[in-house]
Amino acid sequence: MASSKRDRKYMKIAVGEMLKSRAEHTIRIDPLVGAVLVDPSGKELGRAHRGHLRTGHHAEFTLLERMSSNMDLTGSTLYVTLEPCIIRNFPKVPCAKHIVNARIKKVFVGIPDPSYKIMGKGINFLQKNHIEVDFFDLDFVEQIRKANKDFIEQHENEEEKFSEIAEEFEGISDKTNEPVRTASLKDLSYEEIRRYLEVRGKEHKIPSEELWNYLTKLGFLYRDHPSEGLFPTVAAILLFGNDPVDFLVQSKVLVEAHKGDKITTEDFSGPLLQILNKVEDFFKQNVRSITEIKGFNREKNLEFPLEALREAVVNAIVHRDYSEGARVHIKAFENKVIVRSPGLPPKPLTLEKMRSFEAPPYSRNPLLAITFHYFEKMEERGAGLEKMRKLMVDNGLSPPRFDFDSGYVVVTFFGSDISGDLIRISEELMIKLNDTELKIVEFVKKNKRVTSSDIRKILGITRETANQHLKKLIEEGIIEKRGAGPSTYYVFWGS
């Protein structure tokens, strides 16, 4: 659901201000950032952009400490296009602290920090200091991401660990960064690591000290002290573990296939990317198919777009809460598929935003998210929900429904209420048919087989007219004639 007119007004101003930003570095790309400050009554107090008054000054610092230093900002609202920073070189103060010190009541954030090592830490800091946080609407988010495309890509390819971030700036989840002290390097799959290095364009020898140092920088390995051994982190076990379930029982995915009164269950385990492949095979075997007639050709596909189901499963295993022992749970019924993911979304994501497909790019486990992005298993951050909606609607189905239930995020895909095999006539054929012929097609769908007598009775037409319509449907490759004489009947072609 879109924000209020007033909020959208200031989001638009902040985006416009962002485009005026001035860079300070020549060896790396600086973000474009704009900010607007509004008092409790809705009156604008000021606006600023990065480098507004002096090169290197952040937009929030300029707005709060230079342009509004003599004002009482208690209860004000700040609109800023990028998540406030959480670290500055001494003696500079991070923008998140400036916001808290100014007693701001609410902050609207355009996009989270694109660094998977920093994302969410500024937002968390504000929330822990009792500041309400919300996101810009997605149309503005798209403008911000487009303007900062090079800056975002720079951080998606980053490899240095930000070890200097203070503990007070705890991220949205530290579970996947925790070391698994019962595991060792021998518990990691060299094949999975090789695949990862390949998509990253790296050629480290496996195993080697150079490789372990590289994975340590990325946060996949942890060392308490330079003289001590390395431990895989939770993220490393989930992505590269030989048997992740040995250390993380919650890494399993439970699947159920409901066919009539029969329920078949199975547990999928292994590295997350392998689990995704297993789930896709499960869908292909257990989700109802739909046959599309294209002239004298028939194409068989899943009733639900596989890409939409895959997106829901990726979200479930990447964004879930791994601090709990619960598992991702997938149920396939004849006319619906349900995907349950443990853990509610991290604030400020809401059910309302998810149901309106306006949820911005924000992950509980950024390291898992960026890895799936490298493997092209995730859309550009923030595009997944809208992709699911569009795929379902384009296939003539209802958009997926989002719910919260007993600590789970639940995504439900609804199919047709018709039992048994599903038939669809291609769009190219449908536009060639008149109203009477369309009614005959629907009658065949419902009854599987029809006679000329059936058609005459249902539509109130003559034998000659019925036969003319049936002849056309045969010529177009939609139906075919079976039997002879009084036993003649008609079915969909190839049935």
Side-chain angles (χ1 to χ4, degrees):
M1 179 178 292
S3 303
S4 69
K5 288 184 178 180
R6 185 173 81 178
D7 289 332
R8 285 186 59 81
K9 170 186 173 182
Y10 291 121
M11 290 174 190
K12 182 177 181 180
I13 292 173
V15 170
E17 197 68 20
M18 169 193 74
L19 298 176
K20 303 175 185 178
S21 296
R22 301 174 184 175
E24 61 182 291
H25 296 101
T26 57
I27 60 173
R28 70 171 187 262
I29 301 168
D30 293 311
L32 307 181
V33 184
V36 182
L37 186 61
V38 178
D39 74 9
S41 70
K43 177 184 176 183
E44 181 181 333
L45 297 176
R47 60 182 75 175
H49 53 267
R50 186 183 180 97
H52 188 114
L53 298 179
R54 182 172 295 180
T55 300
H57 282 186
H58 291 193
E60 304 98 307
F61 169 78
T62 299
L63 192 53
L64 299 175
E65 300 299 321
R66 289 291 179 264
M67 300 171 67
S68 310
S69 58
N70 296 324
M71 300 181 189
D72 180 4
L73 303 181
T74 302
S76 297
T77 299
L78 178 69
Y79 301 80
V80 60
T81 58
L82 179 67
E83 178 179 4
C85 68
I86 47 88
I87 184 169
R88 298 299 307 274
N89 293 328
F90 183 82
K92 294 178 180 178
V93 176
C95 292
K97 280 193 173 181
H98 284 305
I99 293 169
V100 171
N101 293 338
R103 298 188 293 276
I104 301 296
K105 180 181 179 181
K106 185 172 184 177
V107 177
F108 282 88
V109 174
I111 61 172
D113 193 298
S115 167
Y116 69 87
K117 303 181 187 78
I118 300 178
M119 178 190 290
K121 288 179 169 63
I123 290 172
N124 253 24
F125 183 75
L126 297 179
Q127 291 174 330
K128 286 184 176 181
N129 284 275
H130 313 294
I131 294 176
E132 184 181 353
V133 181
D134 203 346
F135 288 115
F136 280 36
D137 290 342
L138 273 186
D139 55 338
F140 294 119
V141 170
E142 290 171 3
Q143 294 176 45
I144 296 167
R145 288 185 61 83
K146 183 178 180 180
N148 283 284
K149 181 177 182 294
D150 293 338
F151 172 72
I152 292 170
E153 289 180 351
Q154 169 185 262
H155 280 286
E156 287 181 341
N157 294 320
E158 70 192 352
E159 298 186 350
E160 293 301 319
K161 187 174 181 180
F162 290 78
S163 58
E164 68 271 31
I165 295 175
E167 290 183 3
E168 64 181 317
F169 295 112
E170 178 184 351
I172 52 181
S173 173
D174 59 0
K175 180 63 181 178
T176 54
N177 297 324
E178 290 179 2
V180 181
R181 299 183 185 279
T182 55
S184 70
L185 299 180
K186 294 181 180 179
D187 294 302
L188 300 181
S189 164
Y190 289 172
E191 177 59 24
E192 291 302 313
I193 293 174
R194 183 198 63 75
R195 293 178 61 211
Y196 177 79
L197 294 177
E198 188 176 288
V199 299
R200 295 300 309 273
K202 303 297 179 181
E203 297 182 352
H204 300 303
K205 183 180 178 181
I206 306 174
S208 66
E209 197 63 32
E210 179 187 37
L211 170 65
W212 304 141
N213 289 336
Y214 174 68
L215 295 179
T216 301
K217 287 180 180 180
L218 295 180
F220 290 120
L221 301 178
Y222 180 86
R223 193 195 305 268
D224 287 314
H225 188 273
S227 64
E228 297 181 358
L230 288 165
F231 296 104
T233 62
V234 168
I237 293 295
L238 289 170
L239 293 166
F240 312 134
N242 286 312
D243 295 294
V245 72
D246 288 347
F247 306 96
L248 301 164
V249 66
Q250 64 268 41
S251 66
K252 286 184 179 181
V253 171
L254 173 63
V255 297
E256 292 181 13
H258 294 248
K259 296 183 178 179
D261 295 330
K262 182 181 179 182
I263 302 176
T264 304
T265 64
E266 189 174 356
D267 278 325
F268 292 150
S269 61
L272 293 186
L273 286 160
Q274 288 188 18
I275 288 179
L276 180 61
N277 293 333
K278 293 176 183 178
V279 172
E280 288 189 18
D281 289 340
F282 165 79
F283 285 142
K284 292 174 183 177
Q285 296 168 16
N286 295 284
V287 171
R288 184 169 58 177
S289 296
I290 185 167
T291 300
E292 184 170 20
I293 296 178
K294 296 183 174 182
F296 293 98
N297 295 313
R298 291 163 62 92
E299 291 185 2
K300 200 168 187 178
N301 298 296
L302 297 186
E303 178 182 11
F304 305 103
L306 183 58
E307 286 184 80
L309 298 178
R310 181 194 301 124
E311 191 70 33
V313 175
V314 168
N315 287 342
I317 63 180
V318 168
H319 302 317
R320 61 153 293 178
D321 183 357
Y322 279 98
S323 65
E324 302 294 334
R327 293 174 289 174
V328 172
H329 189 179
I330 300 168
K331 299 180 181 181
F333 297 88
E334 183 179 39
N335 62 348
K336 66 181 176 182
V337 172
I338 301 173
V339 179
R340 294 171 58 87
S341 177
L344 300 183
K347 293 180 179 179
L349 294 184
T350 64
L351 179 60
E352 180 182 43
K353 285 185 178 293
M354 295 176 73
R355 283 180 169 173
S356 63
F357 304 94
E358 288 282 332
Y362 197 47
S363 175
R364 174 184 276 107
N365 306 304
L367 185 51
L368 299 184
I370 192 65
T371 301
F372 269 69
H373 181 65
Y374 291 144
F375 278 91
E376 299 183 348
K377 299 298 184 181
M378 290 193 76
E379 288 295 299
E380 182 179 355
R381 293 176 182 177
L385 298 191
E386 174 56 24
K387 178 182 178 181
M388 279 194 281
R389 185 203 67 79
K390 187 175 188 304
L391 285 167
M392 291 292 285
V393 172
D394 287 350
N395 280 269
L397 300 169
S398 300
R401 188 182 75 194
F402 294 88
D403 297 287
F404 295 166
D405 177 41
S406 303
Y408 285 79
V409 173
V410 183
V411 186
T412 305
F413 297 87
F414 295 99
S416 169
D417 289 332
I418 299 174
S419 297
D421 297 333
L422 298 175
I423 300 290
R424 177 188 295 156
I425 311 300
S426 70
E427 189 70 25
E428 306 87 73
L429 289 178
M430 292 291 279
I431 61 177
K432 296 180 180 180
L433 307 182
N434 60 35
D435 289 344
T436 300
E437 289 151 0
L438 290 172
K439 289 177 181 177
I440 295 174
V441 168
E442 289 303 313
F443 189 61
V444 178
K445 278 185 182 181
K446 183 177 179 181
N447 296 277
K448 310 303 180 187
R449 53 188 283 175
V450 299
T451 65
S452 176
S453 177
D454 294 330
I455 299 300
R456 296 198 305 272
K457 291 177 182 177
I458 295 271
L459 301 179
I461 56 179
T462 65
R463 179 192 298 271
E464 182 180 359
T465 301
N467 288 339
Q468 286 176 351
H469 291 308
L470 290 169
K471 180 182 178 182
K472 179 179 176 181
L473 293 174
I474 292 172
E475 290 174 347
E476 294 293 348
I478 297 175
I479 64 173
E480 61 179 301
K481 184 179 179 180
R482 300 266 180 91
S487 299
T488 299
Y489 62 95
Y490 302 87
V491 297
F492 280 123
W493 186 87
S495 297

